Amino acid sequence: QTTINSELSKQMHSSLFAALVSFTVGTIALFILTIIFNRSLKIKLSQHHLGRIKPLYFIGGILGVVFVTSNIILMPYLGAALTTIVAMLGQMIMGVIIDHFGIGVPKNEMTFRKFIGLIAIAIGIVLLRLF
């Protein structure tokens, strides 16, 4: 995905426009899949067993825009492997933080083993960049 979007960015001379095209195509695909599998496009803002959906849960699309656009911008400079690994490290760090503090999920505290794993990935990124 990152490689294809980065090439699209080169062709369009704009990372933001490439991200817009990518999300537009993705949105159309999701509309089609939603109609096929759910047979409806209704958005239910509350569920009888869960209550109202918190507005915070709707920012996932904004986070997706930041993630995809950042990858499009970084790919020509870092290459596919390094861009992917940096993105994965960021996701892992956020996952560990969310787990540790129990933000919306049960707490799963940071351990020395998890810390060493994150350090190993960071060292791998440095090694990839140096060689």
Side-chain angles (χ1 to χ4, degrees):
Q1 177 190 16
T2 300
T3 303
I4 291 169
N5 284 339
S6 181
E7 287 302 313
L8 181 62
S9 172
K10 286 180 191 174
Q11 295 290 313
M12 298 186 154
H13 305 289
S14 171
S15 299
L16 290 174
F17 193 61
L20 176 64
V21 169
S22 177
F23 275 99
T24 301
V25 171
T27 299
I28 292 167
L30 285 171
F31 268 122
I32 293 167
L33 290 171
T34 301
I35 290 170
I36 290 170
F37 290 106
N38 291 352
R39 310 234 190 276
S40 171
L41 292 174
K42 291 182 183 177
I43 297 174
K44 298 176 183 174
L45 297 178
S46 66
Q47 301 291 328
H48 67 279
H49 60 287
L50 296 174
R52 287 193 58 76
I53 297 173
K54 295 178 184 175
L56 174 68
Y57 297 147
F58 289 99
I59 67 166
I62 295 169
L63 297 174
V65 166
V66 171
F67 182 78
V68 169
T69 306
S70 297
N71 281 335
I72 291 171
I73 293 167
L74 291 175
M75 170 70 183
Y77 301 103
L78 300 180
L82 195 54
T83 299
T84 302
I85 292 171
V86 168
M88 287 173 45
L89 177 62
Q91 289 178 328
M92 292 175 71
I93 290 170
M94 282 308 301
V96 167
I97 290 169
I98 289 167
D99 271 355
H100 182 76
F101 293 105
I103 304 169
V105 296
K107 282 187 179 184
N108 189 1
E109 292 188 9
M110 174 71 143
T111 63
F112 183 70
R113 195 167 148 188
K114 288 178 189 177
F115 179 74
I116 294 299
L118 292 173
I119 296 299
I121 293 169
I123 290 170
I125 290 171
V126 170
L127 291 175
L128 274 174
R129 193 67 182 147
L130 291 176
F131 300 104

